[in-house]
Amino acid sequence: MDLLSKIDKKNTPEHIAIIMDGNGRWAKKQGHMRLHGHNTGVESVREVLKAAKEMKVKYLTLYAFSTENWNRPKEEVDGLMDLLVRTIAGEADELNNSGVRMLAIGDIDGLPGDCNIELRQAMEKTKQNTDINLVLALNYSARSEIISATKQLAEKVNNGELSVDEISDEVFSNHLTTKGIPDPELLIRTSGEHRISNFLLWQIAYSELHFTPVLWPDFKRDDLYKAVIDYQSRERRFGMVSEQISKSI
Ligand code: FPP
């Protein structure tokens, strides 16, 4: 079935965020170590990025490492960091040549030195690109991000730079690590889990949620198309009633 032809090209999300889950279970099913699942998951990242770019999605945010992930066995954490460093270093030129701008959200300074360096170099190298923004959530925690924004605002109020009344949705958003990035219209989680797991809690206030049982290493182009078709079948009301929506179109 040609799923792509079912997509309304004028109504693709500008920003898709993905919780890439199920690498460990995928590897176990094949009788491999968990890291094999993460390695294979990089293939899905490549394919999904390409498909998103072709659909003219402008931001693709991937939850690659949460602050909670530090609690995994040391061998897995080291392997994941190594994979991130190798992938980012190995793909930076290709990303640059294909018009991808790399961005990162989360506590980047809390990453191991080599990961931090590769990431910053890749972001610098690709900063002129405009086709699509690949946003990697690394050492990311939505609650920490919200607390950090709150502290920054409290400090500004304390210093007299800002009044309490000036704190709005927009001002708050501008103190998050996603500053300048539009909120995702669509959030996908793979592997059959129905949780948000401390990802983009502020930014997904109005996002459509798409859950699929597909494990991340099996998630390919057609799975992304299915998620977008599902998104396009929903009516986004933003708290209004249907009649108001049809009038505004
Ligand atoms: C969740 O699966 C996946 C992760 C914590 C890591 C995802 C990272 C990658 C796919 C590498 C991406 C690389 C780049 C450069 C973006 P899990 O381990 O929680 O799976 P499980 O729930 O089956 O145990």
Side-chain angles (χ1 to χ4, degrees):
M1 195 184 10
D2 177 14
L3 291 170
L4 185 57
S5 67
K6 293 191 170 198
I7 292 177
D8 172 3
K9 310 289 179 308
K10 289 191 215 77
N11 184 28
T12 47
E14 183 183 19
H15 183 175
I16 300 178
I18 308 183
I19 303 175
M20 309 180 287
D21 196 11
N23 293 348
R25 275 165 284 164
W26 184 89
K28 204 171 165 196
K29 271 186 16 189
Q30 326 267 326
H32 287 290
M33 306 279 285
R34 296 176 55 80
L35 269 175
H36 179 62
H38 298 314
N39 275 302
T40 312
V42 175
E43 271 309 311
S44 301
V45 170
R46 282 196 195 97
E47 190 162 330
V48 165
L49 175 62
K50 244 192 229 165
K53 185 170 163 258
E54 285 164 20
M55 275 192 283
K56 309 254 186 288
V57 170
K58 284 291 169 193
Y59 295 85
L60 178 69
T61 299
L62 303 177
Y63 204 3
F65 195 87
S66 72
T67 51
E68 289 85 5
N69 287 150
W70 293 113
N71 298 324
R72 294 192 173 198
K74 183 176 180 327
E75 187 186 277
E76 183 172 348
V77 171
D78 290 349
L80 259 173
M81 284 300 145
D82 185 52
L83 175 65
L84 285 166
V85 173
R86 274 188 288 119
T87 310
I88 294 166
E91 306 273 330
D93 282 333
E94 169 67 23
L95 292 175
N96 192 28
N97 294 335
S98 46
V100 180
R101 175 178 170 221
M102 193 188 276
L103 298 173
I105 57 170
D107 179 9
I108 304 309
D109 291 333
L111 291 167
D114 51 350
C115 193
N116 191 310
I117 290 168
E118 290 301 342
L119 193 62
R120 288 188 190 280
Q121 281 176 356
M123 289 195 288
E124 182 61 28
K125 186 176 271 181
T126 60
K127 70 178 181 197
Q128 309 293 350
N129 293 336
T130 54
D131 286 0
I132 186 168
N133 296 278
L134 172 63
V135 186
L136 296 184
L138 288 166
N139 199 17
Y140 180 83
S141 150
R143 284 186 172 181
S144 302
E145 183 186 39
I146 289 169
I147 289 172
S148 161
T150 308
K151 284 182 178 169
Q152 291 171 53
L153 291 169
E155 223 155 85
K156 287 188 181 174
V157 170
N158 250 350
N159 296 340
E161 279 174 63
L162 188 75
S163 77
V164 169
D165 289 344
E166 282 170 326
I167 301 175
S168 61
D169 274 17
E170 195 191 343
V171 168
F172 198 87
S173 294
N174 285 340
H175 290 78
L176 297 169
T177 63
T178 48
K179 178 181 176 199
I181 299 176
D183 290 342
E185 293 96 331
L186 171 62
L187 171 73
I188 300 170
R189 181 168 191 153
T190 61
S191 93
E193 306 291 349
H194 297 85
R195 286 190 295 278
I196 303 301
S197 299
N198 206 4
F199 190 44
L200 301 177
L201 294 179
W202 169 273
Q203 298 86 342
I204 60 167
Y206 292 103
S207 304
E208 295 296 332
L209 310 180
H210 175 87
F211 298 104
T212 168
V214 176
L215 304 176
W216 179 251
D218 288 330
F219 191 94
K220 301 294 171 201
R221 179 178 283 273
D222 272 358
D223 300 294
L224 184 70
Y225 295 158
K226 280 182 200 161
V228 172
I229 291 166
D230 182 27
Y231 160 81
Q232 291 185 339
S233 74
R234 317 257 183 103
E235 182 188 59
R236 306 188 73 214
R237 292 207 298 268
F238 303 97
M240 293 183 278
V241 299
S242 282
E243 289 71 22
Q244 291 173 297
I245 303 293
S246 45
K247 260 188 224 145
S248 67
I249 293 174

PDB file of all heavy atoms in Angstrom, residues 24-57:
ATOM      1  N   GLY A  24      16.012  -2.343  23.652  1.00  0.00           N
ATOM      2  CA  GLY A  24      16.459  -3.463  24.484  1.00  0.00           C
ATOM      3  C   GLY A  24      15.645  -4.716  24.210  1.00  0.00           C
ATOM      4  O   GLY A  24      16.185  -5.812  24.019  1.00  0.00           O
ATOM      5  N   ARG A  25      14.301  -4.547  24.152  1.00  0.00           N
ATOM      6  CA  ARG A  25      13.431  -5.700  23.900  1.00  0.00           C
ATOM      7  C   ARG A  25      13.663  -6.276  22.505  1.00  0.00           C
ATOM      8  O   ARG A  25      13.651  -7.480  22.305  1.00  0.00           O
ATOM      9  CB  ARG A  25      11.956  -5.280  24.062  1.00  0.00           C
ATOM     10  CG  ARG A  25      11.494  -5.344  25.504  1.00  0.00           C
ATOM     11  CD  ARG A  25      10.206  -4.596  25.688  1.00  0.00           C
ATOM     12  NE  ARG A  25      10.435  -3.160  25.704  1.00  0.00           N
ATOM     13  CZ  ARG A  25       9.475  -2.250  25.552  1.00  0.00           C
ATOM     14  NH1 ARG A  25       8.236  -2.623  25.334  1.00  0.00           N
ATOM     15  NH2 ARG A  25       9.753  -0.968  25.613  1.00  0.00           N
ATOM     16  N   TRP A  26      13.906  -5.400  21.559  1.00  0.00           N
ATOM     17  CA  TRP A  26      14.165  -5.849  20.180  1.00  0.00           C
ATOM     18  C   TRP A  26      15.418  -6.733  20.156  1.00  0.00           C
ATOM     19  O   TRP A  26      15.419  -7.809  19.557  1.00  0.00           O
ATOM     20  CB  TRP A  26      14.359  -4.629  19.274  1.00  0.00           C
ATOM     21  CG  TRP A  26      14.546  -4.956  17.831  1.00  0.00           C
ATOM     22  CD1 TRP A  26      13.572  -5.091  16.891  1.00  0.00           C
ATOM     23  CD2 TRP A  26      15.788  -5.208  17.159  1.00  0.00           C
ATOM     24  NE1 TRP A  26      14.128  -5.401  15.673  1.00  0.00           N
ATOM     25  CE2 TRP A  26      15.492  -5.482  15.811  1.00  0.00           C
ATOM     26  CE3 TRP A  26      17.124  -5.222  17.565  1.00  0.00           C
ATOM     27  CZ2 TRP A  26      16.467  -5.764  14.863  1.00  0.00           C
ATOM     28  CZ3 TRP A  26      18.107  -5.511  16.632  1.00  0.00           C
ATOM     29  CH2 TRP A  26      17.779  -5.785  15.300  1.00  0.00           C
ATOM     30  N   ALA A  27      16.463  -6.273  20.847  1.00  0.00           N
ATOM     31  CA  ALA A  27      17.728  -7.027  20.864  1.00  0.00           C
ATOM     32  C   ALA A  27      17.534  -8.375  21.567  1.00  0.00           C
ATOM     33  O   ALA A  27      17.986  -9.415  21.086  1.00  0.00           O
ATOM     34  CB  ALA A  27      18.805  -6.213  21.571  1.00  0.00           C
ATOM     35  N   LYS A  28      16.805  -8.339  22.674  1.00  0.00           N
ATOM     36  CA  LYS A  28      16.586  -9.565  23.439  1.00  0.00           C
ATOM     37  C   LYS A  28      15.852 -10.602  22.585  1.00  0.00           C
ATOM     38  O   LYS A  28      16.188 -11.788  22.595  1.00  0.00           O
ATOM     39  CB  LYS A  28      15.782  -9.223  24.705  1.00  0.00           C
ATOM     40  CG  LYS A  28      15.986 -10.213  25.824  1.00  0.00           C
ATOM     41  CD  LYS A  28      15.370  -9.743  27.123  1.00  0.00           C
ATOM     42  CE  LYS A  28      15.268 -10.914  28.088  1.00  0.00           C
ATOM     43  NZ  LYS A  28      14.364 -10.632  29.189  1.00  0.00           N
ATOM     44  N   LYS A  29      14.857 -10.110  21.849  1.00  0.00           N
ATOM     45  CA  LYS A  29      14.089 -11.025  20.982  1.00  0.00           C
ATOM     46  C   LYS A  29      14.970 -11.725  19.958  1.00  0.00           C
ATOM     47  O   LYS A  29      14.683 -12.827  19.517  1.00  0.00           O
ATOM     48  CB  LYS A  29      12.992 -10.238  20.236  1.00  0.00           C
ATOM     49  CG  LYS A  29      11.717 -10.191  21.032  1.00  0.00           C
ATOM     50  CD  LYS A  29      10.500  -9.569  20.383  1.00  0.00           C
ATOM     51  CE  LYS A  29      10.394  -9.323  18.937  1.00  0.00           C
ATOM     52  NZ  LYS A  29       9.240  -8.532  18.539  1.00  0.00           N
ATOM     53  N   GLN A  30      16.046 -11.034  19.563  1.00  0.00           N
ATOM     54  CA  GLN A  30      16.972 -11.617  18.576  1.00  0.00           C
ATOM     55  C   GLN A  30      18.101 -12.393  19.252  1.00  0.00           C
ATOM     56  O   GLN A  30      19.042 -12.810  18.588  1.00  0.00           O
ATOM     57  CB  GLN A  30      17.649 -10.531  17.724  1.00  0.00           C
ATOM     58  CG  GLN A  30      16.833  -9.320  17.398  1.00  0.00           C
ATOM     59  CD  GLN A  30      16.126  -9.488  16.082  1.00  0.00           C
ATOM     60  OE1 GLN A  30      16.657 -10.114  15.179  1.00  0.00           O
ATOM     61  NE2 GLN A  30      14.925  -8.958  15.988  1.00  0.00           N
ATOM     62  N   GLY A  31      18.063 -12.423  20.591  1.00  0.00           N
ATOM     63  CA  GLY A  31      19.114 -13.126  21.326  1.00  0.00           C
ATOM     64  C   GLY A  31      20.416 -12.341  21.399  1.00  0.00           C
ATOM     65  O   GLY A  31      21.499 -12.922  21.511  1.00  0.00           O
ATOM     66  N   HIS A  32      20.309 -11.002  21.335  1.00  0.00           N
ATOM     67  CA  HIS A  32      21.519 -10.165  21.381  1.00  0.00           C
ATOM     68  C   HIS A  32      21.552  -9.315  22.641  1.00  0.00           C
ATOM     69  O   HIS A  32      20.558  -9.197  23.359  1.00  0.00           O
ATOM     70  CB  HIS A  32      21.552  -9.219  20.168  1.00  0.00           C
ATOM     71  CG  HIS A  32      21.863  -9.915  18.881  1.00  0.00           C
ATOM     72  ND1 HIS A  32      23.104 -10.433  18.602  1.00  0.00           N
ATOM     73  CD2 HIS A  32      21.089 -10.171  17.796  1.00  0.00           C
ATOM     74  CE1 HIS A  32      23.084 -10.973  17.401  1.00  0.00           C
ATOM     75  NE2 HIS A  32      21.875 -10.845  16.895  1.00  0.00           N
ATOM     76  N   MET A  33      22.692  -8.665  22.859  1.00  0.00           N
ATOM     77  CA  MET A  33      22.836  -7.725  23.971  1.00  0.00           C
ATOM     78  C   MET A  33      22.013  -6.460  23.649  1.00  0.00           C
ATOM     79  O   MET A  33      21.815  -6.132  22.474  1.00  0.00           O
ATOM     80  CB  MET A  33      24.301  -7.293  24.131  1.00  0.00           C
ATOM     81  CG  MET A  33      25.292  -8.416  24.278  1.00  0.00           C
ATOM     82  SD  MET A  33      25.292  -8.998  25.955  1.00  0.00           S
ATOM     83  CE  MET A  33      26.179  -7.677  26.766  1.00  0.00           C
ATOM     84  N   ARG A  34      21.612  -5.753  24.698  1.00  0.00           N
ATOM     85  CA  ARG A  34      20.795  -4.543  24.522  1.00  0.00           C
ATOM     86  C   ARG A  34      21.446  -3.521  23.576  1.00  0.00           C
ATOM     87  O   ARG A  34      20.773  -2.860  22.795  1.00  0.00           O
ATOM     88  CB  ARG A  34      20.539  -3.891  25.882  1.00  0.00           C
ATOM     89  CG  ARG A  34      19.732  -4.748  26.839  1.00  0.00           C
ATOM     90  CD  ARG A  34      19.609  -4.069  28.197  1.00  0.00           C
ATOM     91  NE  ARG A  34      19.061  -2.725  28.075  1.00  0.00           N
ATOM     92  CZ  ARG A  34      17.771  -2.456  27.929  1.00  0.00           C
ATOM     93  NH1 ARG A  34      16.886  -3.430  27.940  1.00  0.00           N
ATOM     94  NH2 ARG A  34      17.352  -1.216  27.814  1.00  0.00           N
ATOM     95  N   LEU A  35      22.772  -3.438  23.665  1.00  0.00           N
ATOM     96  CA  LEU A  35      23.464  -2.429  22.841  1.00  0.00           C
ATOM     97  C   LEU A  35      23.261  -2.664  21.344  1.00  0.00           C
ATOM     98  O   LEU A  35      23.253  -1.711  20.552  1.00  0.00           O
ATOM     99  CB  LEU A  35      24.965  -2.426  23.151  1.00  0.00           C
ATOM    100  CG  LEU A  35      25.384  -1.457  24.256  1.00  0.00           C
ATOM    101  CD1 LEU A  35      26.863  -1.619  24.569  1.00  0.00           C
ATOM    102  CD2 LEU A  35      25.073  -0.003  23.865  1.00  0.00           C
ATOM    103  N   HIS A  36      23.085  -3.925  20.975  1.00  0.00           N
ATOM    104  CA  HIS A  36      22.825  -4.232  19.565  1.00  0.00           C
ATOM    105  C   HIS A  36      21.522  -3.545  19.122  1.00  0.00           C
ATOM    106  O   HIS A  36      21.415  -3.067  17.981  1.00  0.00           O
ATOM    107  CB  HIS A  36      22.743  -5.749  19.378  1.00  0.00           C
ATOM    108  CG  HIS A  36      22.457  -6.162  17.971  1.00  0.00           C
ATOM    109  ND1 HIS A  36      23.305  -5.877  16.928  1.00  0.00           N
ATOM    110  CD2 HIS A  36      21.403  -6.824  17.429  1.00  0.00           C
ATOM    111  CE1 HIS A  36      22.782  -6.353  15.804  1.00  0.00           C
ATOM    112  NE2 HIS A  36      21.629  -6.918  16.084  1.00  0.00           N
ATOM    113  N   GLY A  37      20.570  -3.481  20.032  1.00  0.00           N
ATOM    114  CA  GLY A  37      19.308  -2.794  19.735  1.00  0.00           C
ATOM    115  C   GLY A  37      19.529  -1.300  19.514  1.00  0.00           C
ATOM    116  O   GLY A  37      18.960  -0.708  18.591  1.00  0.00           O
ATOM    117  N   HIS A  38      20.363  -0.695  20.361  1.00  0.00           N
ATOM    118  CA  HIS A  38      20.637   0.749  20.195  1.00  0.00           C
ATOM    119  C   HIS A  38      21.359   0.999  18.869  1.00  0.00           C
ATOM    120  O   HIS A  38      21.041   1.934  18.146  1.00  0.00           O
ATOM    121  CB  HIS A  38      21.483   1.272  21.354  1.00  0.00           C
ATOM    122  CG  HIS A  38      20.809   1.137  22.695  1.00  0.00           C
ATOM    123  ND1 HIS A  38      19.499   1.496  22.896  1.00  0.00           N
ATOM    124  CD2 HIS A  38      21.264   0.674  23.893  1.00  0.00           C
ATOM    125  CE1 HIS A  38      19.173   1.269  24.166  1.00  0.00           C
ATOM    126  NE2 HIS A  38      20.225   0.769  24.788  1.00  0.00           N
ATOM    127  N   ASN A  39      22.341   0.130  18.574  1.00  0.00           N
ATOM    128  CA  ASN A  39      23.080   0.269  17.304  1.00  0.00           C
ATOM    129  C   ASN A  39      22.138   0.190  16.117  1.00  0.00           C
ATOM    130  O   ASN A  39      22.223   0.997  15.183  1.00  0.00           O
ATOM    131  CB  ASN A  39      24.104  -0.867  17.162  1.00  0.00           C
ATOM    132  CG  ASN A  39      25.404  -0.522  17.866  1.00  0.00           C
ATOM    133  OD1 ASN A  39      26.031   0.476  17.560  1.00  0.00           O
ATOM    134  ND2 ASN A  39      25.785  -1.339  18.829  1.00  0.00           N
ATOM    135  N   THR A  40      21.230  -0.784  16.157  1.00  0.00           N
ATOM    136  CA  THR A  40      20.302  -0.955  15.039  1.00  0.00           C
ATOM    137  C   THR A  40      19.315   0.214  14.990  1.00  0.00           C
ATOM    138  O   THR A  40      18.872   0.615  13.907  1.00  0.00           O
ATOM    139  CB  THR A  40      19.557  -2.304  15.163  1.00  0.00           C
ATOM    140  OG1 THR A  40      20.526  -3.313  15.428  1.00  0.00           O
ATOM    141  CG2 THR A  40      18.799  -2.652  13.906  1.00  0.00           C
ATOM    142  N   GLY A  41      19.011   0.773  16.167  1.00  0.00           N
ATOM    143  CA  GLY A  41      18.103   1.918  16.238  1.00  0.00           C
ATOM    144  C   GLY A  41      18.616   3.117  15.446  1.00  0.00           C
ATOM    145  O   GLY A  41      17.834   3.947  14.985  1.00  0.00           O
ATOM    146  N   VAL A  42      19.921   3.207  15.280  1.00  0.00           N
ATOM    147  CA  VAL A  42      20.483   4.328  14.512  1.00  0.00           C
ATOM    148  C   VAL A  42      20.012   4.259  13.053  1.00  0.00           C
ATOM    149  O   VAL A  42      19.774   5.291  12.413  1.00  0.00           O
ATOM    150  CB  VAL A  42      22.031   4.354  14.608  1.00  0.00           C
ATOM    151  CG1 VAL A  42      22.617   5.439  13.722  1.00  0.00           C
ATOM    152  CG2 VAL A  42      22.460   4.559  16.052  1.00  0.00           C
ATOM    153  N   GLU A  43      19.840   3.051  12.530  1.00  0.00           N
ATOM    154  CA  GLU A  43      19.312   2.886  11.168  1.00  0.00           C
ATOM    155  C   GLU A  43      17.921   3.511  11.052  1.00  0.00           C
ATOM    156  O   GLU A  43      17.595   4.147  10.058  1.00  0.00           O
ATOM    157  CB  GLU A  43      19.208   1.389  10.818  1.00  0.00           C
ATOM    158  CG  GLU A  43      20.450   0.803  10.201  1.00  0.00           C
ATOM    159  CD  GLU A  43      20.939   1.645   9.021  1.00  0.00           C
ATOM    160  OE1 GLU A  43      20.129   1.980   8.142  1.00  0.00           O
ATOM    161  OE2 GLU A  43      22.138   1.992   9.010  1.00  0.00           O
ATOM    162  N   SER A  44      17.114   3.271  12.086  1.00  0.00           N
ATOM    163  CA  SER A  44      15.758   3.856  12.074  1.00  0.00           C
ATOM    164  C   SER A  44      15.838   5.382  12.121  1.00  0.00           C
ATOM    165  O   SER A  44      15.044   6.067  11.479  1.00  0.00           O
ATOM    166  CB  SER A  44      14.944   3.341  13.265  1.00  0.00           C
ATOM    167  OG  SER A  44      14.851   1.948  13.232  1.00  0.00           O
ATOM    168  N   VAL A  45      16.810   5.897  12.899  1.00  0.00           N
ATOM    169  CA  VAL A  45      16.977   7.360  12.972  1.00  0.00           C
ATOM    170  C   VAL A  45      17.260   7.901  11.566  1.00  0.00           C
ATOM    171  O   VAL A  45      16.638   8.871  11.121  1.00  0.00           O
ATOM    172  CB  VAL A  45      18.135   7.748  13.932  1.00  0.00           C
ATOM    173  CG1 VAL A  45      18.467   9.235  13.824  1.00  0.00           C
ATOM    174  CG2 VAL A  45      17.782   7.383  15.377  1.00  0.00           C
ATOM    175  N   ARG A  46      18.177   7.247  10.854  1.00  0.00           N
ATOM    176  CA  ARG A  46      18.530   7.697   9.487  1.00  0.00           C
ATOM    177  C   ARG A  46      17.303   7.710   8.583  1.00  0.00           C
ATOM    178  O   ARG A  46      17.033   8.683   7.883  1.00  0.00           O
ATOM    179  CB  ARG A  46      19.561   6.745   8.868  1.00  0.00           C
ATOM    180  CG  ARG A  46      20.944   6.971   9.381  1.00  0.00           C
ATOM    181  CD  ARG A  46      21.998   6.312   8.480  1.00  0.00           C
ATOM    182  NE  ARG A  46      23.244   6.271   9.201  1.00  0.00           N
ATOM    183  CZ  ARG A  46      23.693   5.206   9.878  1.00  0.00           C
ATOM    184  NH1 ARG A  46      23.005   4.077   9.887  1.00  0.00           N
ATOM    185  NH2 ARG A  46      24.821   5.263  10.548  1.00  0.00           N
ATOM    186  N   GLU A  47      16.563   6.610   8.621  1.00  0.00           N
ATOM    187  CA  GLU A  47      15.430   6.479   7.703  1.00  0.00           C
ATOM    188  C   GLU A  47      14.313   7.477   8.041  1.00  0.00           C
ATOM    189  O   GLU A  47      13.733   8.104   7.148  1.00  0.00           O
ATOM    190  CB  GLU A  47      14.902   5.035   7.751  1.00  0.00           C
ATOM    191  CG  GLU A  47      13.901   4.808   6.651  1.00  0.00           C
ATOM    192  CD  GLU A  47      13.658   3.334   6.345  1.00  0.00           C
ATOM    193  OE1 GLU A  47      14.577   2.515   6.525  1.00  0.00           O
ATOM    194  OE2 GLU A  47      12.532   3.027   5.923  1.00  0.00           O
ATOM    195  N   VAL A  48      14.045   7.627   9.324  1.00  0.00           N
ATOM    196  CA  VAL A  48      12.967   8.532   9.743  1.00  0.00           C
ATOM    197  C   VAL A  48      13.340   9.986   9.430  1.00  0.00           C
ATOM    198  O   VAL A  48      12.507  10.786   8.988  1.00  0.00           O
ATOM    199  CB  VAL A  48      12.665   8.310  11.244  1.00  0.00           C
ATOM    200  CG1 VAL A  48      11.846   9.438  11.826  1.00  0.00           C
ATOM    201  CG2 VAL A  48      11.945   6.972  11.430  1.00  0.00           C
ATOM    202  N   LEU A  49      14.615  10.322   9.629  1.00  0.00           N
ATOM    203  CA  LEU A  49      15.068  11.683   9.317  1.00  0.00           C
ATOM    204  C   LEU A  49      14.869  11.975   7.825  1.00  0.00           C
ATOM    205  O   LEU A  49      14.364  13.037   7.443  1.00  0.00           O
ATOM    206  CB  LEU A  49      16.544  11.844   9.712  1.00  0.00           C
ATOM    207  CG  LEU A  49      17.208  13.169   9.341  1.00  0.00           C
ATOM    208  CD1 LEU A  49      16.526  14.344  10.058  1.00  0.00           C
ATOM    209  CD2 LEU A  49      18.706  13.161   9.687  1.00  0.00           C
ATOM    210  N   LYS A  50      15.263  11.016   6.992  1.00  0.00           N
ATOM    211  CA  LYS A  50      15.109  11.194   5.546  1.00  0.00           C
ATOM    212  C   LYS A  50      13.645  11.365   5.168  1.00  0.00           C
ATOM    213  O   LYS A  50      13.278  12.270   4.421  1.00  0.00           O
ATOM    214  CB  LYS A  50      15.638   9.939   4.830  1.00  0.00           C
ATOM    215  CG  LYS A  50      16.828  10.228   3.962  1.00  0.00           C
ATOM    216  CD  LYS A  50      17.106   9.044   3.080  1.00  0.00           C
ATOM    217  CE  LYS A  50      18.585   8.681   3.163  1.00  0.00           C
ATOM    218  NZ  LYS A  50      18.895   7.373   2.627  1.00  0.00           N
ATOM    219  N   ALA A  51      12.794  10.492   5.721  1.00  0.00           N
ATOM    220  CA  ALA A  51      11.367  10.535   5.384  1.00  0.00           C
ATOM    221  C   ALA A  51      10.744  11.842   5.875  1.00  0.00           C
ATOM    222  O   ALA A  51       9.919  12.452   5.185  1.00  0.00           O
ATOM    223  CB  ALA A  51      10.652   9.337   5.993  1.00  0.00           C
ATOM    224  N   ALA A  52      11.151  12.293   7.054  1.00  0.00           N
ATOM    225  CA  ALA A  52      10.603  13.546   7.610  1.00  0.00           C
ATOM    226  C   ALA A  52      11.017  14.721   6.733  1.00  0.00           C
ATOM    227  O   ALA A  52      10.220  15.607   6.431  1.00  0.00           O
ATOM    228  CB  ALA A  52      11.093  13.732   9.042  1.00  0.00           C
ATOM    229  N   LYS A  53      12.265  14.706   6.307  1.00  0.00           N
ATOM    230  CA  LYS A  53      12.772  15.794   5.457  1.00  0.00           C
ATOM    231  C   LYS A  53      12.001  15.832   4.135  1.00  0.00           C
ATOM    232  O   LYS A  53      11.605  16.904   3.677  1.00  0.00           O
ATOM    233  CB  LYS A  53      14.265  15.571   5.224  1.00  0.00           C
ATOM    234  CG  LYS A  53      14.944  16.665   4.478  1.00  0.00           C
ATOM    235  CD  LYS A  53      16.455  16.478   4.512  1.00  0.00           C
ATOM    236  CE  LYS A  53      17.097  17.301   3.444  1.00  0.00           C
ATOM    237  NZ  LYS A  53      17.498  16.552   2.270  1.00  0.00           N
ATOM    238  N   GLU A  54      11.770  14.671   3.563  1.00  0.00           N
ATOM    239  CA  GLU A  54      11.032  14.621   2.292  1.00  0.00           C
ATOM    240  C   GLU A  54       9.602  15.133   2.457  1.00  0.00           C
ATOM    241  O   GLU A  54       9.036  15.706   1.540  1.00  0.00           O
ATOM    242  CB  GLU A  54      11.003  13.181   1.759  1.00  0.00           C
ATOM    243  CG  GLU A  54      12.340  12.767   1.170  1.00  0.00           C
ATOM    244  CD  GLU A  54      12.466  11.257   0.989  1.00  0.00           C
ATOM    245  OE1 GLU A  54      11.434  10.551   0.947  1.00  0.00           O
ATOM    246  OE2 GLU A  54      13.617  10.788   0.916  1.00  0.00           O
ATOM    247  N   MET A  55       9.031  14.927   3.657  1.00  0.00           N
ATOM    248  CA  MET A  55       7.663  15.421   3.909  1.00  0.00           C
ATOM    249  C   MET A  55       7.650  16.897   4.272  1.00  0.00           C
ATOM    250  O   MET A  55       6.624  17.447   4.638  1.00  0.00           O
ATOM    251  CB  MET A  55       7.037  14.643   5.079  1.00  0.00           C
ATOM    252  CG  MET A  55       6.395  13.349   4.694  1.00  0.00           C
ATOM    253  SD  MET A  55       5.413  12.721   6.068  1.00  0.00           S
ATOM    254  CE  MET A  55       6.673  12.078   7.130  1.00  0.00           C
ATOM    255  N   LYS A  56       8.835  17.503   4.286  1.00  0.00           N
ATOM    256  CA  LYS A  56       8.998  18.925   4.634  1.00  0.00           C
ATOM    257  C   LYS A  56       8.692  19.230   6.106  1.00  0.00           C
ATOM    258  O   LYS A  56       8.274  20.338   6.462  1.00  0.00           O
ATOM    259  CB  LYS A  56       8.141  19.833   3.736  1.00  0.00           C
ATOM    260  CG  LYS A  56       8.298  19.585   2.249  1.00  0.00           C
ATOM    261  CD  LYS A  56       9.115  20.696   1.619  1.00  0.00           C
ATOM    262  CE  LYS A  56       9.200  20.600   0.117  1.00  0.00           C
ATOM    263  NZ  LYS A  56      10.051  19.508  -0.365  1.00  0.00           N
ATOM    264  N   VAL A  57       8.868  18.218   6.955  1.00  0.00           N
ATOM    265  CA  VAL A  57       8.807  18.467   8.408  1.00  0.00           C
ATOM    266  C   VAL A  57      10.010  19.346   8.732  1.00  0.00           C
ATOM    267  O   VAL A  57      11.099  19.126   8.187  1.00  0.00           O
ATOM    268  CB  VAL A  57       8.888  17.110   9.164  1.00  0.00           C
ATOM    269  CG1 VAL A  57       9.079  17.310  10.652  1.00  0.00           C
ATOM    270  CG2 VAL A  57       7.635  16.283   8.873  1.00  0.00           C
TER     271      VAL A  57
END
